[in-house]
Amino acid sequence: MTWRANVLTLFPEMFPGPLGASLIGKALEKKLWFLDVRDIREHGIGKHRTVDDTPAGGGPGMVIRADVACAAIDRAREANPDVPTAYLSPRGAPLTQARVRALASGPGAILLCGRFEGLDQRAIDARQLEEVSIGDFVLAGGEIAAMALIEACVRLIPGVLGDETSPADESFSTGLLEYPQYTRPQSFEGTEIPPALLGGNHAEIAKWRREQAENLTKSRRPDLWTLYEKGKA
Ligand code: ADE
């Protein structure tokens, strides 16, 4: 079954956007994955198709109505039963490569993009939405976060990246950040390619790369390093 992203948004014109370019876009053209984008406003209330209202208890901004969001989710689930449903929000659990791998190996994802001050909590609870964040910063809405999640998943679908590109060694796949890469010229502004990479000795190259990956992870991401050390024990 072909992987399918089902995006629920108030700004459908933002899609495919960057997902239409490069290898991800070519894979979309080749039908290696599918993108369905639905306007939440189709489920809006009344003549004006209202989707939001002021927060109960007061405060700034607007909140997406639970009835409108749930109608959009229910419609998407009719066509895609048993597909995980995520709500993109800075309050969500941080997205990890492990979660990306799990999502990529499933049938796809329904992705609800928030805007404004958020979504009525009753929609999150009633439809058991998985809240997902792409980092500790606040975007203007969930659309770019949904695109990031989709791109991370689609690049793992077999046939999407060229054969020569293997995700096996890259950051997070091994539990470590990726080692530095070099290419020609051999000398650039007085700096040489590390000699360990030039001798053609595969064991020496692998050892150098592992040391680099470990040192980088230790200094930049002590949180990942601790997990990595625990995993080895
Ligand atoms: N919406 C706004 N900010 C977000 C974030 N950091 N991650 C996911 N969705 C968001």
Side-chain angles (χ1 to χ4, degrees):
M1 203 172 66
T2 307
W3 200 85
R4 183 178 295 269
N6 208 289
V7 179
L8 309 175
T9 170
L10 289 165
F11 296 94
E13 66 276 16
M14 289 175 77
F15 292 85
L19 298 173
S22 190
L23 289 175
I24 305 291
K26 291 216 178 76
L28 183 59
E29 270 173 33
K30 285 199 260 174
K31 298 189 176 1
L32 291 175
W33 67 287
F34 292 115
L35 177 64
D36 292 335
V37 181
R38 282 286 167 181
D39 192 340
I40 296 170
R41 204 167 289 281
E42 284 175 27
H43 303 277
I45 307 293
K47 198 173 70 175
H48 298 293
R49 300 229 164 270
T50 302
V51 297
D52 58 351
D53 212 323
T54 52
M62 300 292 271
V63 176
I64 299 179
R65 292 172 56 123
D67 50 357
V68 173
C70 287
I73 292 163
D74 293 346
R75 173 73 59 82
R77 281 182 175 171
E78 262 172 44
N80 310 276
D82 307 318
V83 169
T85 311
Y87 167 52
L88 284 308
S89 140
R91 274 187 5 182
L95 185 63
T96 61
Q97 190 64 18
R99 186 70 191 118
V100 166
R101 269 194 295 267
L103 285 171
S105 64
I110 298 170
L111 302 170
L112 177 65
C113 304
R115 281 268 153 181
F116 319 121
E117 290 309 306
L119 170 62
D120 189 307
Q121 183 63 36
R122 293 170 294 178
I124 299 171
D125 297 339
R127 296 300 180 272
Q128 302 203 358
L129 304 183
E130 171 185 350
E131 275 188 86
V132 175
S133 165
I134 64 157
D136 291 343
F137 45 81
V138 182
L139 300 165
E143 285 76 10
I144 288 177
M147 289 177 196
L149 183 153
I150 292 167
E151 181 167 308
C153 289
V154 168
R155 64 186 288 285
L156 298 182
I157 295 171
V160 169
L161 300 188
D163 286 342
E164 71 281 9
T165 336
S166 151
D169 247 12
E170 68 193 14
S171 293
F172 310 115
S173 296
T174 57
L176 295 172
L177 301 182
E178 200 190 23
Y179 48 80
Q181 300 276 17
Y182 299 85
T183 187
R184 278 186 279 272
Q186 186 160 333
S187 178
F188 170 68
E189 295 185 353
T191 309
E192 307 297 318
I193 294 175
L197 299 176
L198 299 175
N201 179 335
H202 293 295
E204 192 192 348
I205 292 168
K207 179 166 167 281
W208 183 89
R209 286 179 166 167
R210 169 151 295 269
E211 282 167 6
Q212 293 286 320
E214 291 185 351
N215 290 337
L216 258 181
T217 308
K218 251 185 256 183
S219 62
R220 286 193 189 164
R221 293 294 302 274
D223 57 323
L224 289 181
W225 179 250
T226 304
L227 285 178
Y228 177 74
E229 288 274 274
K230 269 194 207 138
K232 281 200 308 194

